[in-house]
Amino acid sequence: MTSYEPPRDPDAGPVYDVVVLAGGAARRLGGADKPGVRVGGRALLDRVLAACADAGTTVVVADPRPTARPVIWAREDPPGGGPLAALDAGLRHTTARYVLVLSADLPFLQEGTARLLLTVLRTGGADGVLLTDADGRDQPLVAAYRTPSLRHELASLTKEHGALTGLPLRRLTAALDLTRVPDPVASFDCDTWDDIATARARIREHGHVLDEWISAVKDELGIDLDVDTGVLLDLARDAAHGVARPAAPLTTFLVGYAAAQAGGGPEAVAEASRKAAALAVRWAEEADGKTDAAPDGASDNRPDAG
């Protein structure tokens, strides 16, 4: 086993593809459509897809369904043939040197986790990098692999057994040199309804609820925009305190409209927010009489000073 060393550049990463396995039977959920179960208002599958939006090719191995962004659909033959058969079917649509292999039930997977896995893989010599959960168990479906290594081992298993149908995933991972990265949050998966309840409760905690809500709204509206929510919150606070409480939502709406008129994008939002925030400060200063005060306490003899 290769030891884990923190990457020198956590933001760097190679071009990669993604294979999401989403065609399981979900027996512990009573056969429910697990990829479609909503956590924080978003389907579990959509949450996973959002964490790897910059992939070159995204393949979902399952029957087609509506998703928040376009994907390539694949299916193992026969359907329900197990994770190795599903992985092989998905890999047939990939071309990148590196591939993220993910399950469709990871409510807390983030872009940063995907970048970390890929960076550790790129800077090390292992065949793959996977997360371990809170109990130290390997999670091979939250992992990045060298695509040629997967293809080679899958071909070997096919030759040995005649087919991949029904073979457990450990037959593949046991033959690979893997680096382990502990992450009990990103590796958390939803196998039971208790797991779903835990995930739904966590995202409504104070430290998570705002980011989760913003992400859900952007998905629902089809907006792919990374903005500084702190700036918008400061603007809303200034408008509420300096003008009137209803000014906060109305001002943020107008900022969004102005940013759209200016072509959209984070820069347009930041510029509109800056102008509105400066106006809110001036408004509050006028209300306090600060802008009419003459230097050194002298009276202001301007015609409109009274």
Side-chain angles (χ1 to χ4, degrees):
M1 180 181 71
T2 304
S3 60
Y4 167 62
E5 295 180 2
R8 295 180 180 178
D9 183 5
D11 293 323
V15 175
Y16 70 101
D17 292 335
V18 179
V19 174
V20 181
L21 305 189
R27 293 182 179 86
R28 297 173 69 185
L29 287 177
D33 175 27
K34 182 162 66 170
V37 171
R38 294 184 178 274
V39 173
R42 292 189 290 163
L44 283 171
L45 176 57
D46 283 336
R47 297 179 71 90
V48 172
L49 295 176
C52 50
D54 59 342
T57 298
T58 299
V59 185
V60 179
V61 186
D63 293 329
R65 65 175 64 236
T67 52
R69 67 182 183 86
V71 302
I72 294 173
W73 296 97
R75 202 68 166 110
E76 70 275 24
D77 186 17
L84 287 190
L87 176 57
D88 183 63
L91 281 178
R92 295 178 187 275
H93 298 272
T94 65
T95 57
R97 181 180 179 184
Y98 306 98
V99 60
L100 276 180
V101 178
L102 306 169
S103 61
D105 60 349
L106 304 167
F108 306 128
L109 187 69
Q110 300 290 330
E111 290 182 12
T113 307
R115 287 196 301 268
L116 175 63
L117 288 168
L118 290 161
T119 302
V120 175
L121 180 62
R122 180 177 61 86
T123 56
D127 295 317
V129 180
L130 54 76
L131 296 189
T132 57
D133 64 16
D135 297 319
R137 294 173 299 198
D138 287 354
Q139 297 297 315
L141 297 185
V142 200
Y145 298 95
R146 298 184 191 276
T147 308
S149 298
L150 289 184
R151 294 190 196 280
H152 178 269
E153 295 303 332
L154 287 171
S156 296
L157 288 169
T158 301
K159 183 177 180 180
E160 179 182 355
H161 298 277
L164 297 171
T165 302
L167 294 181
L169 196 58
R170 63 178 178 272
R171 289 292 186 91
L172 173 68
T173 55
L176 298 173
D177 177 26
L178 300 175
T179 296
R180 274 81 175 173
V181 179
D183 190 331
V185 176
S187 64
F188 181 89
D189 57 1
C190 294
D191 289 328
T192 68
W193 287 112
D194 284 344
D195 294 336
I196 296 291
T198 297
R200 287 172 171 170
R202 184 180 186 276
I203 66 169
R204 285 168 172 77
E205 294 172 356
H206 178 71
H208 307 283
V209 65
L210 185 58
D211 287 341
E212 290 287 349
W213 170 248
I214 294 299
S215 295
V217 171
K218 290 195 295 185
D219 267 9
E220 191 71 17
L221 300 180
I223 299 172
D224 184 14
L225 181 64
D226 186 16
V227 298
D228 188 341
T229 55
V231 170
L232 295 177
L233 288 173
D234 288 344
L235 168 61
R237 179 201 62 206
D238 293 341
H241 291 175
V243 184
R245 189 171 297 276
L250 294 173
T251 303
T252 51
F253 164 77
L254 292 172
V255 163
Y257 186 84
Q261 292 289 92
E267 297 82 5
V269 174
E271 178 62 14
S273 298
R274 183 193 63 77
K275 290 180 178 179
L279 175 61
V281 171
R282 295 197 303 271
W283 186 286
E285 288 177 345
E286 287 181 15
D288 294 337
K290 293 179 181 179
T291 57
D292 292 333
D296 301 323
S299 60
D300 190 341
N301 294 320
R302 291 175 297 168
D304 61 348

